[in-house]
Amino acid sequence: VIMKNRYIIIYIVCSLAMMTLMSCERDHLYYQTVSRDKVQFDIDWSKTNFAPESKGFDEDNQLNGVTIFAFDSATHKLVTELPPDANWQSPVVRLAPGTYDMILFNDSREELPSILFDMESPFEEFSAYTNADTIYTDQPEYLAVSAVRNVSFHPEKTEYYHDMPEGYYRDYIAQKISTVQKAVTKRINVKVYVKGMNYCKGMQRSYITGLAKSVNLVTRQPSKEEAVYGFNLVNREFRSSDYTEALLTESFNCFGFNEDKIGKDDKFELTINFVLVDNSVHTVTADVTEQFEQWYEEHKVDIGIDLDLDIDVNMEVDLPPAVENPEDVEGLAPETVPWNDIIQDIIL
């Protein structure tokens, strides 16, 4: 009887020990986590003015981040605008499960106040424009974009671990996508050599026609719809010792021009308004279509490679003689934009 009881006790103890061990092993099954995949974009900015080696690099206007618009690939509608990410080289994105088309552009919308985005448009027609009916007085800021299609995010997965993990969520990079940013704005450099500068007291706003009103951010194509761009031609650099000759310059951004204009009857016209010393407004209009066509012929091979190509518009003007009348009422004088004189040594 004693031997039988001893076996019973040993059996009970072993059973309890085995149950304890199994219970400990089962405890590890309850280290539950949720894994979430993310996408990392590796963005190449080398073809933009944000690259230090670019001729248009500006230390006072450096890249601050990247903003991403996400569209549903099935409906093509905008789903969300991700907050600006200061990590402009390799931002990491996590979205709800689904497949998305995305548009990436520099900085934030607050840093691009003159540019509006057509938020109701589908992905393929998504465009940027400036707020003006016919004349743009606030030129768009520099804008570089890229578009990426069919970016997939998978549902969260529940996983169990033997050892306790650091956190409940386990995020990992599921895929890395490389994309290249290119500018959708072009810089227009207007240079006007003026003779008879001593007859000019100031400038009113100047205008140029033939430029696009908006640009498609997916295809990077300027619209066929046009707008008039207004600018102040007030950077003055005297080129003669008697101050009768000067070079007036101004540079501004635009959305370029549609290539279908080239070779057609459509014109690019430059209108400059001089205010003479006798308070009369002397308007000069010039057809600069040939300069745009020449630029296009010289660069049409490069356009698809590097969109950061400035367009120079040059002309010469001879102002008519004018005499200042001291008896003119100053209050009736036309308003002018103050000069921005560029000081240089004048060679006698």
Side-chain angles (χ1 to χ4, degrees), residues 281-301:
V281 177
H282 180 71
T283 300
V284 177
T285 300
D287 184 350
V288 294
T289 305
E290 186 177 340
Q291 297 189 42
F292 278 87
E293 290 179 343
Q294 181 180 352
W295 178 91
Y296 178 75
E297 289 299 322
E298 292 176 351
H299 299 96
K300 62 182 179 181
V301 177

Side-chain angles (χ1 to χ4, degrees), residues 2 7 17 23-24 28 33 42 50 80 88 107 110 123 128 141 154 193 197 213 232 244 253 277 299 302 344:
I2 296 176
Y7 285 123
S23 176
C24 290
H28 292 296
T33 65
D42 294 328
F50 295 116
T80 185
W88 47 266
D107 300 316
E110 288 73 17
F123 174 74
E141 293 81 14
H154 300 97
Y193 195 88
M197 195 67 205
K213 187 174 183 178
N232 294 321
T244 60
N253 290 325
V277 294
H299 299 96
D302 301 325
Q344 70 167 6

Side-chain angles (χ1 to χ4, degrees), residues 56-67:
F57 179 71
D58 184 359
E59 290 186 356
D60 297 326
N61 186 30
Q62 297 192 38
L63 185 59
N64 294 317
V66 61
T67 297

Side-chain angles (χ1 to χ4, degrees), residues 129-132 134-139 212-214 227-230 255:
Y129 62 98
T130 58
N131 189 19
T134 55
I135 298 177
Y136 288 174
T137 54
D138 295 324
Q139 291 82 24
K213 187 174 183 178
S214 62
V228 179
Y229 282 74
F255 291 125

Side-chain angles (χ1 to χ4, degrees), residues 204 270-276 280-286 317 319:
Q204 291 188 337
L270 181 63
T271 300
I272 304 174
N273 295 305
F274 298 88
V275 178
L276 304 182
S280 64
V281 177
H282 180 71
T283 300
V284 177
T285 300
V317 174
L319 293 179

Side-chain angles (χ1 to χ4, degrees), residues 97-117:
T99 303
Y100 301 87
D101 300 326
M102 298 189 177
I103 294 176
L104 300 81
F105 63 90
N106 56 282
D107 300 316
S108 64
R109 286 211 279 165
E110 288 73 17
E111 294 171 288
L112 307 171
S114 298
I115 297 180
L116 300 179
F117 299 93

Side-chain angles (χ1 to χ4, degrees), residues 109-163:
R109 286 211 279 165
E110 288 73 17
E111 294 171 288
L112 307 171
S114 298
I115 297 180
L116 300 179
F117 299 93
D118 193 355
M119 308 299 283
E120 300 301 321
S121 294
F123 174 74
E124 295 291 346
E125 300 174 9
F126 196 76
S127 60
Y129 62 98
T130 58
N131 189 19
D133 293 331
T134 55
I135 298 177
Y136 288 174
T137 54
D138 295 324
Q139 291 82 24
E141 293 81 14
Y142 183 82
L143 184 64
V145 306
S146 67
V148 180
R149 293 175 172 83
N150 298 320
V151 181
S152 296
F153 293 87
H154 300 97
E156 298 177 348
K157 295 180 180 179
T158 301
E159 297 179 345
Y160 298 92
Y161 289 86
H162 182 275
D163 297 320

